[in-house]
Amino acid sequence: VACETDPAAEAPARHRVDRTGEPIVRITKLAKSFGDNEVLTDINGAVHRGEVVCIIGPSGSGKSTLLRCINLLEVPTSGEIVVDGQSMTDPDIDIDAARTRIGMVFQSFNLFSHLSVRENLTVPQRKVLKRSKAEADRVAEHNLERVGLSDKIDASPASLSGGQQQRAAIARALSMDPDVMLFDEPTSALDPELVGDVLNVMRSLADEGMTMIVVTHEMAFARDVADRVVFMADGIVVEEGPAAQVIGDPQQERTREFLHRVL
Ligand code: ADP
Ligand code: MG
């Protein structure tokens, strides 16, 4: 029987989550405004190594802004974000170096259309990580295999389906050896029959121990894969907890209302 002081009691042992060390991502009193529109208010949280956190909530609640603050695509108005010991809000930060630790996959696949799949995966490794061509190729081949796209290495992105492009985008992010992967509605732009392949790739990444923060409307994925689910509305965290609790037995009226609409 788990007692209250057992941190492992917070989540089922779905993935091997290391709650003893420093979290990979720690967010403290984060706020973000665009002009006088405050879209994030006092966000706090930590994501530990190996943990999969799904963020759910209505459109406009600040989910994308939160992910974008984590890798400084948006600059927080106040508060602190630490990724693997590096304060992202430190004014002296080397942004490019810090960002290499954070893989990001967007709703739109955003591969470079004028480059082959291979080049999409190898150019960032060579430029940012200074890998040799041979090493970058080896890593690209390995990661395309992980997402089931080995046979597309020399294809152009335009010749791929949306689901294949999204899997290539995941492989590209993985090729940078990130400590954490951020996914912003990675399947929202896909035809329904292509969603499953992408979710399966994400599920296998989670099973391999990748630390992941996933904004998603796929409630079955959140319920089955997440160690923890965070429900956001109007720029605040309304409720969070184990997936089975937040999705199966929500405590807050706003969470119940949202789930009624989407389930
Ligand atoms: P979600 O991803 O949950 O749908 P967003 O983070 O995209 O929510 O948006 C939250 C709010 O922030 C919305 O009101 C949106 O209009 C606003 N917003 C997001 N990005 C910008 C921006 N670059 N400039 C101004 N307002 C923005
Ligand atoms: Mg969004």
Side-chain angles (χ1 to χ4, degrees):
V1 177
C3 66
E4 266 176 22
T5 52
D6 177 12
E10 286 174 18
R14 190 167 264 174
H15 302 110
R16 199 182 303 256
V17 178
D18 176 7
R19 294 185 189 280
T20 57
E22 257 304 288
I24 299 270
V25 178
R26 181 184 288 286
I27 298 170
T28 311
K29 294 188 172 166
L30 172 66
K32 173 65 183 176
S33 300
F34 294 105
D36 55 12
N37 181 16
E38 187 173 67
V39 300
L40 294 175
T41 308
D42 194 22
I43 303 283
N44 295 281
V47 179
H48 289 83
R49 191 175 292 277
E51 191 171 24
V52 177
V53 175
C54 282
I55 303 176
I56 63 173
S59 178
S61 55
K63 306 180 300 296
S64 294
T65 303
L66 173 57
L67 283 194
R68 293 167 63 81
C69 282
I70 293 173
N71 65 4
L72 288 192
L73 290 175
E74 300 289 355
V75 179
T77 304
S78 62
E80 190 179 33
I81 296 173
V82 177
V83 178
D84 197 21
Q86 163 77 61
S87 173
M88 302 297 284
T89 35
D90 179 343
D92 297 327
I93 190 176
D94 177 345
I95 289 191
D96 293 331
R99 273 202 195 123
T100 63
R101 299 165 173 187
I102 306 169
M104 178 101 182
V105 176
F106 300 88
Q107 181 175 339
S108 52
F109 325 122
N110 74 321
L111 296 167
F112 294 109
S113 56
H114 59 291
L115 300 179
S116 67
V117 168
R118 179 195 301 274
E119 290 163 335
N120 266 281
L121 271 66
T122 55
V123 168
Q125 295 183 61
R126 300 198 61 194
K127 269 197 174 158
V128 181
L129 302 180
K130 311 293 179 208
R131 285 183 179 152
S132 69
K133 184 173 185 325
E135 171 73 353
D137 264 325
R138 192 190 62 71
V139 172
E141 284 161 18
H142 168 69
N143 285 304
L144 284 172
E145 192 181 328
R146 284 171 93 179
V147 303
L149 283 182
S150 295
D151 56 331
K152 300 294 185 191
I153 190 162
D154 291 312
S156 93
S159 71
L160 305 183
S161 74
Q164 290 170 333
Q165 288 187 48
Q166 194 58 304
R167 286 186 281 144
I170 293 171
R172 179 176 59 179
L174 292 174
S175 295
M176 304 300 280
D177 293 338
D179 288 322
V180 56
M181 288 279 288
L182 311 180
F183 293 86
D184 193 357
E185 299 193 28
T187 60
S188 302
L190 297 177
D191 291 335
E193 74 272 20
L194 304 177
V195 167
D197 286 344
V198 172
L199 293 180
N200 284 338
V201 163
M202 291 168 63
R203 186 188 296 253
S204 67
L205 280 185
D207 290 343
E208 287 167 25
M210 179 60 72
T211 310
M212 301 175 25
I213 306 177
V214 183
V215 173
T216 186
H217 291 298
E218 296 288 339
M219 291 304 134
F221 178 86
R223 190 189 58 219
D224 297 345
V225 180
D227 297 293
R228 199 145 49 86
V229 171
V230 174
F231 172 70
M232 285 180 67
D234 289 338
I236 63 165
V237 172
V238 173
E239 177 164 2
E240 67 177 300
Q245 180 191 307
V246 175
I247 295 178
D249 183 24
Q251 302 300 301
Q252 299 293 323
E253 182 55 34
R254 295 183 87 175
T255 318
R256 285 197 284 269
E257 227 173 76
F258 171 76
L259 289 168
H260 272 182
R261 273 187 281 121
V262 300
L263 282 178

